């Protein structure tokens, strides 16, 4: 049966970062982009209806946040993540990367240290380093194709200058969803060393059907004074271009300091479209989310089977969260350049190359499943053609 997610939506020529900007960067004709974490699906119909109503009203003045904004977040987190969030703990911020940088500015000083697990999402590293802080990378343990975090690695990385730890959960790019036991280890570590735990949970809704996600907000109350949780409907409902996120901060002193930082950068009014979209996404779009998760699972099965046939020696890491796959190609290519040449120059398929996520990932790729099946079929056709020595676009 056809799905709404099967629809092809032409994004080239729309000032699209994923398609137009990367076309300009790579200068390779006819690329298919399956790297950038941006879905090629239309946003949910109820959300689009809200935005059409806003457009029809025709006045785009300053927007503000009212009770429905907070109530939508509270409702969604109660129903989907078993979290009761007091309204006063919710703080709007334009982007999670901005939130991370603001927290670094608020709670650390120049040259203080901030820990992050690697492989790691580059913009979060930039948010720390461009604020003049020293980023300390804590490698996740990779053994038998599985990533895990350990307290030993954290203890080896911490120093008297460490002030903050960034935790991305579900992890980007490995897709690990950390267990409550693992989260407790991290929270204990932060309490023991008096660190701020900044938890980016933006991919936390995009789970395989039947999977569970534990938010740091579900941890014991004794940890909450150290925790700043950041999230957004942007990934889940494909609205990152509307620019918006929020933090949940239990500790009133931390919350007041973060609000001061947001005021300092002049962020007084949210984008009117994000404001309306968040309320719709978190109150009217549960059915869309359920159908999306099922579609992503089907896409994952298709790509896993295709890669297993085409690259028998590769290892596709277990997808625990997000719409991404993290694929170990170390047994398939001898160098990162050989791998890049195969995907980009020969197959005209733009994945995200592992080298940008940190040392040791040079022969990994990150693959985005959030595309119509026909797009993924064309990707596999191209890879198959090149592997067989034919042109990428051979019939």
């Amino acid at each position: 049966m056809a799905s709404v997610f099967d629809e092809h939506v032409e994004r080239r020529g729309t000032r699209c970062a994923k398609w137009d900007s990367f076309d300009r960067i790579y200068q390779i004709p006819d690329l298919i982009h399956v790297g950038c974490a941006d879905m090629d699906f239309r946003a949910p119909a109820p959300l689009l209806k809200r935005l059409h109503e806003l457009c029809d009203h025709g006045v785009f003045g300053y927007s503000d946040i009212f009770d429905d904004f907070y109530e939508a977040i509270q409702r969604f987190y109660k129903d989907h993540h078993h979290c009761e969030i007091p309204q006063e703990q919710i703080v709007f911020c334009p982007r999670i990367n901005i939130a991370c940088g603001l927290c670094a500015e608020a709670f650390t000083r120049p040259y203080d240290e901030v820990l992050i697990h690697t492989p790691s999402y580059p913009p979060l590293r930039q948010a720390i380093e461009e604020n003049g802080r020293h980023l300390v990378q804590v490698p996740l343990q990779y053994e038998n194709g599985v990533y895990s975090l350990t307290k030993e690695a954290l203890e080896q990385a911490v120093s008297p200058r460490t002030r903050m730890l960034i935790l991305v959960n579900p992890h980007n790019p490995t897709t690990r969803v950390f267990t409550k036991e693992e989260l407790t280890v991290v929270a204990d570590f932060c309490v023991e060393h008096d660190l701020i735990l900044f938890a980016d949970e933006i991919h936390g809704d995009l789970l395989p059907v039947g999977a569970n996600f534990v938010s740091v907000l579900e941890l014991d109350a004794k940890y909450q004074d150290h925790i700043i949780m950041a999230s957004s409907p942007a990934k889940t409902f494909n609205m990152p271009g509307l620019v918006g996120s929020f933090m949940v901060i239990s500790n009133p002193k931390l919350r007041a300091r973060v609000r001061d930082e947001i005021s300092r950068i002049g962020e007084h009014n949210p984008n009117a479209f994000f404001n309306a979209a968040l309320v719709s996404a978190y109150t009217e779009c549960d059915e869309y989310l359920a159908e999306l998760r099922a579609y992503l699972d089907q896409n994952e099965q298709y790509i896993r089977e295709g890669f297993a046939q085409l690259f028998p020696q590769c290892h596709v890491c277990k997808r625990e969260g997000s719409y991404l796959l993290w694929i170990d190609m170390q047994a398939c290519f001898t160098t990162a350049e050989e791998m890049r040449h195969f995907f980009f120059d020969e197959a005209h398929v733009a994945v995200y190359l592992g080298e940008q996520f940190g040392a040791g990932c040079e022969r990994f790729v990150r693959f985005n499943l959030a595309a119509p099946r026909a797009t993924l079929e064309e990707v596999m056709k191209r890879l198959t053609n090149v592997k067989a020595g034919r042109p990428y676009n051979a019939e």
Side-chain angles (χ1 to χ4, degrees):
M1 183 180 295
S3 165
V4 295
F5 302 110
D6 286 322
E7 178 190 5
H8 171 74
V9 181
E10 181 56 65
R11 301 187 66 191
R12 282 191 167 103
T14 63
R15 299 181 177 86
C16 171
K18 179 177 178 179
W19 291 85
D20 294 323
S21 295
F22 283 128
D23 277 352
R24 183 172 56 188
I25 291 168
Y26 295 129
Q27 294 291 303
I28 297 173
D30 195 27
L31 271 178
I32 298 179
H33 296 278
V34 287
C36 180
D38 181 337
M39 297 197 292
D40 288 324
F41 305 135
R42 290 190 191 277
L47 190 156
L48 295 176
K49 181 175 181 291
R50 290 269 188 132
L51 298 187
H52 280 298
E53 290 170 353
L54 192 57
C55 286
D56 290 342
H57 182 255
V59 179
F60 309 118
Y62 293 120
S63 177
D64 211 342
I65 293 176
F66 290 87
D67 284 346
D68 60 346
F69 182 93
Y70 299 110
E71 290 165 358
I73 296 171
Q74 289 172 304
R75 175 261 157 192
F76 190 84
Y77 268 75
K78 180 178 180 180
D79 289 357
H80 289 268
H81 298 302
H82 319 294
C83 297
E84 299 274 1
I85 304 176
Q87 178 173 312
E88 68 272 10
Q89 295 183 9
I90 301 171
V91 180
F92 168 80
C93 189
R95 290 183 184 274
I96 289 181
N97 301 339
I98 293 174
C100 183
L102 287 176
C103 288
E105 184 71 23
F107 304 117
T108 71
R109 295 180 179 180
Y111 308 110
D112 277 349
E113 295 174 351
V114 177
L115 307 182
I116 190 169
H117 288 102
T118 55
S120 59
Y121 175 55
L124 288 179
R125 298 202 306 265
Q126 294 164 6
I128 299 305
E129 293 174 330
E130 292 176 3
N131 273 282
R133 275 58 176 173
H134 179 56
L135 190 74
V136 177
Q137 302 188 40
V138 184
L140 292 172
Q141 181 175 309
Y142 183 56
E143 188 173 356
N144 298 322
V146 177
Y147 285 90
S148 58
L149 59 80
T150 66
K151 187 174 183 182
E152 290 75 18
L154 290 168
E155 293 290 355
Q156 289 174 10
V158 73
S159 84
R161 296 199 64 84
T162 308
R163 298 288 180 268
M164 180 173 160
L165 185 152
I166 300 171
L167 180 74
V168 182
N169 183 37
H171 186 257
N172 182 3
T174 71
T175 83
R176 267 301 318 277
V177 170
F178 299 116
T179 65
K180 188 169 186 178
E181 291 72 24
E182 288 174 308
L183 295 177
T184 301
V185 166
V186 173
D188 272 330
F189 171 81
C190 289
V191 170
E192 181 180 343
H193 293 279
D194 194 22
L195 308 181
I196 299 296
L197 173 56
F198 182 90
D200 173 354
E201 297 185 351
I202 195 170
H203 288 276
D205 308 319
L206 295 164
L207 309 173
V209 174
N212 294 312
F213 169 77
V214 177
S215 169
V216 292
L217 301 179
E218 297 180 61
L219 297 180
D220 289 348
K222 64 182 179 181
Y223 301 122
Q224 296 302 324
D225 274 355
H226 288 259
I227 290 174
I228 296 173
M229 191 282 285
S231 192
S232 172
K235 298 293 186 187
T236 308
F237 301 100
N238 204 28
M239 45 186 269
L242 299 184
V243 186
S245 72
F246 58 90
M247 289 174 272
V248 178
I249 310 174
S250 173
N251 186 322
K253 291 182 179 179
L254 300 188
R255 188 166 64 246
R257 186 73 183 88
V258 168
R259 289 189 187 278
D260 287 344
E261 283 297 314
I262 292 173
S263 179
R264 180 182 62 80
I265 67 170
E267 186 57 48
H268 302 295
N269 304 92
N271 180 303
F273 288 91
F274 176 78
N275 206 346
L278 178 142
V279 172
S280 176
Y282 280 168
T283 60
E284 302 178 299
C285 300
D286 284 3
E287 183 177 349
Y288 174 96
L289 177 55
E291 292 175 358
L292 171 62
R293 291 175 63 182
Y295 193 86
L296 293 174
D297 284 358
Q298 294 163 13
N299 277 357
E300 177 183 3
Q301 181 179 355
Y302 174 75
I303 291 299
R304 280 186 177 278
E305 291 173 355
F307 266 72
Q309 183 174 355
L310 200 57
F311 303 103
Q313 294 175 297
C314 83
H315 173 69
V316 183
C317 293
K318 180 181 178 182
R319 171 179 160 257
E320 297 185 6
S322 84
Y323 45 65
L324 305 170
L325 287 180
W326 184 239
I327 307 175
D328 183 344
M329 307 292 292
Q330 293 180 101
C332 307
F333 297 96
T334 56
T335 66
E337 177 55 32
E338 179 190 4
M339 186 180 74
R340 189 208 65 78
H341 179 69
F342 175 87
F343 280 97
F344 283 78
D345 299 328
E346 295 191 293
H348 293 220
V349 171
V351 293
Y352 265 18
L353 299 171
E355 59 194 17
Q356 65 184 293
F357 297 96
C361 302
E362 291 80 5
R363 286 178 288 155
F364 286 70
V365 299
R366 195 184 78 173
F367 190 107
N368 183 353
L369 297 165
R373 175 60 64 83
T375 300
L376 301 187
E377 289 172 351
E378 176 63 22
V379 166
M380 292 311 303
K381 186 189 85 170
R382 292 182 179 197
L383 298 178
T384 300
N385 279 341
V386 172
K387 195 77 164 31
R390 299 188 294 266
Y392 77 94
N393 56 356
E395 294 298 329

